[in-house]
Amino acid sequence: MYRIAMMVFRLFLKAPFYFFQIWRCGKKKGITLEEAYACVRKVTIAANRAGKVKIESFGLENIPKESGFIFYPNHQGLYDVLAFLESCPVPFAFVIKKEARNVILLKQVVDALGSISIDREDIRQSMSVIQQVAAEVKKGKNFLIFAEGTRSREGNRLLDFKGGSFKSAVKSQCPIVPCALIDSFKPFDEKSIQPVTVKIIYLPPIYYEEYKGKKTVEIAAEVKARIEKAMQTMQWEE
């Protein structure tokens, strides 16, 4: 959390203004998702600069040109979503666990982007979230879902991807975009304020025709395998 403190300190004079802008995006009617996303992204970039975090993006050309898809990245740490908010040129919402829903600033970002909180202990609510995400994706909204369900806490090693995380994709028959995060655990999960670089790789999308008929656990295993291969390739090239 040392880096978060540094971000706040270095943006001390601008922080209230940034907070108000994001809060306003979540409360004021008439603000489009594109406008809200641009606001959140601007604040994220400023926070990353203040926190000495550099984002290196690869494969941006793999992001589908037509909206209505779901990003499925590995989940390394508290910082993960910020890597996407700076690097991704198209708006998206995300699914967040209920426990983090009311964290200051994160709550405002959730409201601004129309993101959804999920209670993993409540099966009925979880199913409702799956249906809601599928319905919104069908209408052309993009989402980000962490298929591991929780932070790996193992650096660049992945946990198993949960099949249930892919039910929204199957129901909406949308493109699945695997994404590999590398060193995303370092900004917030390590006790350091030294400059750090986070890499994010957008992999080619998996379209419905490719995963149609497969069980969600099979889809989960395939997405995990593609992310692991991309991470290994990146590390070999270094």
Side-chain angles (χ1 to χ4, degrees), residues 96-114:
I96 186 173
K97 61 182 181 180
K98 181 192 69 173
E99 294 84 351
R101 176 65 174 83
N102 292 316
V103 173
I104 190 69
L105 188 55
L106 183 56
K107 168 181 170 58
Q108 285 69 39
V109 171
V110 167
D111 291 340
L113 299 182

Side-chain angles (χ1 to χ4, degrees), residues 48-221:
N48 284 339
R49 299 299 174 270
K52 300 180 182 179
V53 183
K54 179 182 178 182
I55 307 297
E56 290 186 356
S57 304
F58 305 86
L60 287 169
E61 69 278 3
N62 291 322
I63 298 176
K65 300 296 185 290
E66 184 176 343
S67 289
F69 56 82
I70 302 178
F71 291 121
Y72 282 98
N74 52 313
H75 194 10
Q76 292 194 337
L78 297 170
Y79 180 81
D80 294 352
V81 173
L82 294 183
F84 278 90
L85 287 173
E86 172 164 340
S87 67
C88 185
V90 297
F92 67 89
F94 51 90
V95 176
I96 186 173
K97 61 182 181 180
K98 181 192 69 173
E99 294 84 351
R101 176 65 174 83
N102 292 316
V103 173
I104 190 69
L105 188 55
L106 183 56
K107 168 181 170 58
Q108 285 69 39
V109 171
V110 167
D111 291 340
L113 299 182
S115 296
I116 302 171
S117 60
I118 186 169
D119 183 352
R120 293 174 296 185
E121 303 300 321
D122 187 333
I123 296 177
R124 180 175 295 181
Q125 193 268 350
S126 297
M127 289 303 299
S128 176
V129 169
I130 290 170
Q131 297 285 0
Q132 184 179 349
V133 171
E136 293 195 28
V137 170
K138 281 185 177 180
K139 294 177 182 178
K141 190 170 182 178
N142 308 315
F143 270 85
L144 183 154
I145 297 176
F146 293 110
E148 287 165 290
T150 188
R151 290 174 284 159
S152 68
R153 300 182 186 277
E154 295 185 28
N156 288 316
R157 295 179 59 187
L158 277 62
L159 302 176
D160 288 336
F161 280 27
K162 301 182 184 301
S165 301
F166 293 87
K167 289 183 178 179
S168 293
V170 173
K171 288 181 179 296
S172 62
Q173 300 182 11
C174 73
I176 289 171
V177 185
C179 302
L181 286 168
I182 300 175
D183 293 339
S184 187
F185 63 94
K186 291 183 177 180
F188 289 168
D189 290 52
E190 289 190 343
K191 296 179 180 180
S192 172
I193 58 173
Q194 294 301 311
V196 62
T197 297
V198 173
K199 294 181 175 65
I200 177 169
I201 309 170
Y202 296 89
L203 301 175
I206 306 173
Y207 290 97
Y208 181 65
E209 291 71 22
E210 186 177 347
Y211 67 81
K212 179 175 60 176
K214 291 184 178 181
K215 296 180 180 179
T216 54
V217 291
E218 296 175 321
I219 300 171

